[in-house]
Amino acid sequence: MPDSVARPSFTPVRGALGLSVAMGMGRFFYTPALPLMVAALHWSSAPGAWIATLNYVGYFIGTLVIAQGWVEPNRFVYRLSLIVSTVGLAAVALTPNLIWQGGIRTIAGIASGLIFVCVTQRIPANSRRPRDGGISYGGVGFGILVSGAMVLAAGSVADWRQLWLICAAVSAIFSIIAWTWPIPARIPQTTTPTEAADPAEITTDRSPADITRPNTDDPAEAVTPFAANRRRAMAILSTGYFFQGGGYIIIGTYLVVLAGPVFGTTAAASTWLIAGIATAASPLTWSAVAARIGTVKALTVCYCLQVFGALLAVFGSSPVVLIIAAALFGFTFIGVVMMTIGVGTQMGVANASAKLTSWYSIGQIVGPAIVAAALSEHIAAAFVASAIALAIAMVLTLVGVLTGNVGR
């Protein structure tokens, strides 16, 4: 009895640490570590950008295989991905060879995508209190906070290899705690209560692109206005999420690089630390804001702050400005993620988290690729491009929400 009473309160923490492993360390430790690697290995901006892009390709693959129904987001996949993500962190330290680095970061991206979907798709089922979902999503920020703190604390005494090994050790500890996140050994092939709200669409294996096309095997769906409207809304929402992924990841990848000349190579990680603190506080805050003023207004405010933060970073010639930009980045990006996935879920779209995240991942691939190809020597211009992409994302996301008539 004591265990059953205690379990609900600790379950969100398990989910939070799972997301910390996947995102804060498995994906984003690269951000504060990159300036140290660039200095030690004499890289230009391009190699770091291409390696980051390969990591995002892996993340896209991880989300796509679930969205397409090729892999179940079950217990085995979740736990194997925790192991792969942790081992991948340690493997970065083996050699600076660019082919090795790119390959390892691709595999790490796949593991991160799988963990993210395995956790986020189970958050509603594993939440016993209104704030539980916010606690679980807060793990992304906590992981970013930890990754920044590691570089800030040890960057002056440890080389880049040792930093990756330290991160792998912390990831292993977090994985042990996150190991028992409640997730089925097999995913039952049944509709969820949300999906059941519209019997015209029960297909669970359609890709994000399929949302825009009628299902000719289901005549009811083809002629149901609700289903047609939902497909249209999801297509608009997914396109907006694509631009969000491309815009936010430019900030997430290059914020510390931009701060390097202002703070110094090691101290630049302090901006990432600020971003982590803001990200950790973000989910619970935006949950409360959306509940009070509605999803449309909350998303509008969140996006406006995100665009402002990207533009502010362009003028980041002082530590104070960069710290504010970092705080705005951390405070907004997970808020957009949480609210957008929530909208997709309310629409009754099967595997909404995986499908939306697939589009998000494509944006994350395109963003750093554009920087690597055209803007690697003009990081400030990259942040302007980020602001434009985020503004487009805001318009499309709000149109998608309104079209789907969700959470006004």
Side-chain angles (χ1 to χ4, degrees):
M1 180 65 69
D3 180 65
S4 64
V5 172
R7 184 176 179 180
S9 63
F10 194 68
T11 294
V13 175
R14 295 187 179 101
L17 293 182
L19 290 180
S20 293
V21 170
M23 308 298 290
M25 287 173 280
R27 295 199 66 211
F28 287 132
F29 185 73
Y30 191 72
T31 298
L34 181 58
L36 294 173
M37 295 178 72
V38 168
L41 302 174
H42 307 290
W43 284 354
S44 66
S45 298
W50 285 118
I51 291 171
T53 299
L54 288 172
N55 181 252
Y56 308 142
V57 170
Y59 189 76
F60 168 68
I61 294 171
T63 60
L64 181 65
V65 295
I66 293 180
Q68 293 282 42
W70 299 332
V71 172
E72 281 188 347
N74 57 30
R75 186 183 305 154
F76 172 78
V77 170
Y78 169 67
R79 292 178 174 178
L80 177 63
S81 299
L82 288 174
I83 295 171
V84 171
S85 183
T86 299
V87 172
L89 291 169
V92 172
L94 293 179
T95 173
N97 179 273
L98 291 177
I99 295 177
W100 174 263
Q101 292 284 325
I104 287 298
R105 295 302 293 158
T106 302
I107 294 171
I110 294 173
S112 295
L114 292 171
I115 296 170
F116 182 82
V117 174
C118 285
V119 173
T120 57
Q121 289 200 167
R122 293 295 301 173
I123 285 176
N126 291 338
S127 296
R128 300 292 182 268
R129 298 164 300 178
R131 66 177 181 271
D132 285 355
I135 293 172
S136 293
Y137 272 108
V140 177
F142 180 68
I144 291 174
L145 173 62
V146 171
S147 69
M150 281 188 282
V151 174
L152 197 60
S156 59
V157 295
D159 63 20
W160 68 271
R161 296 175 189 266
Q162 293 168 328
L163 286 174
W164 281 98
L165 293 175
I166 293 170
C167 185
V170 175
S171 179
I173 295 171
F174 282 17
S175 294
I176 291 171
I177 301 172
W179 192 262
T180 51
W181 168 251
I183 184 169
R186 290 190 59 81
I187 305 300
Q189 299 299 313
T190 58
T191 57
T192 65
T194 305
E195 295 160 9
D198 177 28
E201 179 175 319
I202 59 173
T203 304
T204 60
D205 59 352
R206 301 172 67 197
S207 70
D210 291 335
I211 297 167
T212 61
R213 299 194 297 267
N215 182 356
T216 55
D217 295 330
D218 187 351
E221 181 180 345
V223 298
T224 302
F226 178 86
N229 186 70
R230 181 171 59 182
R231 286 197 303 272
R232 183 165 53 251
M234 190 65 177
I236 297 170
L237 194 69
S238 298
T239 306
Y241 213 41
F242 161 80
F243 280 99
Q244 161 67 19
Y248 110 90
I249 201 59
I250 292 174
I251 307 173
T253 302
Y254 295 103
L255 178 64
V256 178
V257 175
L258 192 68
V262 178
F263 286 87
T265 301
T266 300
S270 61
T271 58
W272 199 238
L273 197 68
I274 295 296
I277 294 172
T279 306
S282 172
L284 288 173
T285 302
W286 288 112
S287 293
V289 171
R292 185 174 182 83
I293 67 175
T295 302
V296 172
K297 291 180 180 178
L299 271 169
T300 302
V301 174
C302 193
Y303 261 116
C304 286
L305 289 173
Q306 193 174 41
V307 173
F308 177 69
L311 290 174
L312 194 62
V314 176
F315 305 99
S317 57
S318 71
V320 173
V321 171
L322 283 172
I323 286 173
I324 294 173
L328 287 173
F329 165 73
F331 189 62
T332 55
F333 89 86
I334 198 64
V336 170
V337 167
M338 182 179 66
M339 286 187 279
T340 305
I341 289 178
V343 167
T345 301
Q346 291 179 60
M347 286 182 184
V349 177
N351 284 330
S353 175
K355 291 177 179 178
L356 282 168
T357 306
S358 293
W359 284 105
Y360 196 74
S361 302
I362 297 172
Q364 290 179 134
I365 296 168
V366 173
I370 291 175
V371 174
L375 301 172
S376 61
E377 303 303 323
H378 307 281
I379 298 301
F383 277 75
V384 174
S386 169
I388 294 171
L390 292 171
I392 295 172
M394 176 175 67
V395 173
L396 291 172
T397 301
L398 294 175
V399 171
V401 173
L402 293 171
T403 302
N405 196 30
V406 175
R408 296 192 183 198

